Amino acid sequence: MNDITLRPCEADAHAGAILAIFNEAIAHSTALYEYQPRTLQTMATWFATKQAGGFPVIGAFDPAGELLGFASWGSFRAFPAFKYTVEHSVYVRHDQRGRGIGERLLRELLRLAEASDRVHALIAGIDMQNSGSIALHEKLGFRPVGVLPQVGFKFGRWLDLGFWQRTLATPGQPVDG
């Protein structure tokens, strides 16, 4: 694990690798409640949205520079009073899971959130069958705050979506407006 480095992802250099991780998760898991693979155009829009919002996209890279996983956050809801709340996601390439990469990425997101002084709450939406993600979030201080039963349908079954939250002491000087 010490040979893995964390650094920002760039659209031109990493969109293809992130796309492959997303599409594997779409095809084989309930980590994303989507049916169709994403496209490179989708990734261009995704990166543009991250950049416009000042949202991080952090990658975990092996010594050869290969992307093993990534993490990011974005707006939780599109209403002004939610400006200090973000919804984050962590994805690890299917052949790299169970190595602690997700934990390193989530720890880095937490560090960045506190350092930014503009995040108060991080929200994770997790499929209730994803025991690995649930365990990771609880290990890092997230607590369950609710379940929306049977809100998704994929692979011929209803899916329950759980929410986990970690509240930070930041920002130091929150303001309305």
Side-chain angles (χ1 to χ4, degrees), residues 1-171:
M1 268 306 280
N2 292 336
D3 60 342
I4 294 173
T5 59
L6 302 182
R7 66 176 188 269
C9 292
E10 304 295 332
D12 293 342
H14 306 116
I18 290 175
L19 178 65
I21 293 170
F22 271 141
N23 285 342
E24 190 281 330
I26 290 168
H28 301 287
S29 79
T30 56
L32 289 157
Y33 287 14
E34 296 180 39
Y35 299 124
Q36 299 301 317
R38 293 183 181 186
T39 65
L40 279 174
Q41 179 57 45
T42 304
M43 293 310 305
T45 302
W46 185 83
F47 266 105
T49 300
K50 299 296 182 185
Q51 185 176 25
F55 305 135
V57 180
I58 303 301
F61 295 89
D62 71 9
E66 192 172 335
L67 184 71
L68 306 178
F70 68 95
S72 186
W73 73 60
S75 299
F76 173 66
R77 306 268 324 257
F79 301 102
F82 288 106
K83 67 184 171 185
Y84 297 118
T85 301
V86 297
E87 184 172 0
H88 69 278
S89 56
V90 177
Y91 292 94
V92 176
R93 207 173 71 195
H94 69 93
D95 63 339
Q96 298 296 314
R97 293 181 189 138
R99 296 184 54 211
I101 296 169
E103 181 176 343
R104 286 196 55 197
L105 286 164
L106 186 50
R107 285 185 187 281
E108 180 65 4
L109 280 187
L110 289 166
R111 187 192 70 73
L112 291 171
E114 289 178 335
S116 77
D117 198 42
R118 61 183 184 107
V119 176
H120 182 64
L122 288 97
I123 306 292
I126 306 171
D127 182 78
M128 291 301 294
Q129 297 298 308
N130 190 340
S131 58
S133 186
I134 291 168
L136 169 62
H137 282 81
E138 291 183 352
K139 177 180 181 179
L140 296 185
F142 287 79
R143 63 181 183 84
V145 292
V147 175
L148 303 175
Q150 298 186 11
V151 295
F153 188 82
K154 189 174 178 181
F155 302 132
R157 67 183 194 276
W158 290 108
L159 306 175
D160 299 341
L161 181 63
F163 288 94
W164 274 256
Q165 177 178 331
R166 176 144 171 206
T167 305
L168 306 176
T170 54

